[in-house]
Amino acid sequence: MIAPGAVLLRGFALPFVDDVLAALGDISAQAPFRHMTTPWGAEMSVAMTNCGDAGWLTDRAGYRYDGTDPETGQPWPAMPECFLELASRAAERACYPGFVPDACLINRYSPGTRLTLHQDSDERDYAHPIVSVSLGLPAIFQFGGPKRRDPLRNFPVRHGDVVVWGGPSRLAYHGVAELKAGEHALLGEQRINLTFRHAL
């Protein structure tokens, strides 16, 4: 447990990796990774795509979920069964039974990129947890409290680790420190993060 209602599951995703990476290739072929723009016009350093009934977007219009990929005009790719199984099993292990995600934000980090502190607050119902899966290069996951100025704790996350948070920690600020250079045996010079949410 890393905070009340928040759990780090070391290596939990490893049995799913082969299927997940194969499915990820299909997803990115249909909905390519792209660098989205923040509402104030800055380009995000982390490349993103989505799968599921809804995809998370940011642009000049703000943060939101939408069922259509604005770059292709098509619905986001369906969420693969291996994604659903991984997310639901991890949530259950963290004492959040019955979790069925309808959105998966997929982030691709290159060395030198980071994700600043933020809350996952664009979902309609905060009763559902967040399930975050780390693949590829190791990173430092930063986890704080409900206020941006709350103290942060740093947790190394490696290939196959899963972080699940909800309940009293559902709106905790969190982020990823600048990714250090390296090369992973399966994914090379990158880190992939899958963030599962019940958004709609």
Side-chain angles (χ1 to χ4, degrees), residues 13-23 86 134-135 159-160 184 186-187:
L14 290 176
F16 299 86
V17 163
D18 289 347
D19 289 342
V20 164
L21 292 182
L86 169 55
S134 293
L135 301 170
H159 181 69
H184 187 267
L186 289 177
L187 287 165

Side-chain angles (χ1 to χ4, degrees), residues 96-153:
Y96 295 102
F99 176 60
V100 181
D102 56 15
C104 179
L105 172 64
I106 306 167
N107 291 341
R108 185 181 66 195
Y109 295 77
S110 299
T113 62
R114 64 192 300 266
L115 195 62
T116 58
L117 288 179
H118 64 282
Q119 294 173 303
D120 289 354
S121 59
D122 299 316
E123 299 73 35
R124 293 182 181 175
D125 186 352
Y126 299 151
H128 303 280
I130 304 295
V131 176
S132 176
V133 179
S134 293
L135 301 170
L137 288 177
I140 299 297
F141 181 67
Q142 302 171 316
F143 202 79
K147 298 178 181 178
R148 187 181 292 274
R149 65 177 179 273
D150 286 337
L152 286 178
R153 296 181 66 192

Side-chain angles (χ1 to χ4, degrees), residues 24-34 48-51 69 71-72 74-77 106:
L24 180 59
D26 293 337
I27 291 167
S28 60
Q30 298 175 61
F33 283 97
R34 75 289 307 261
M48 300 178 173
T49 189
N50 292 275
C51 68
D69 179 351
E71 290 205 355
T72 66
Q74 300 297 315
W76 296 102
I106 306 167

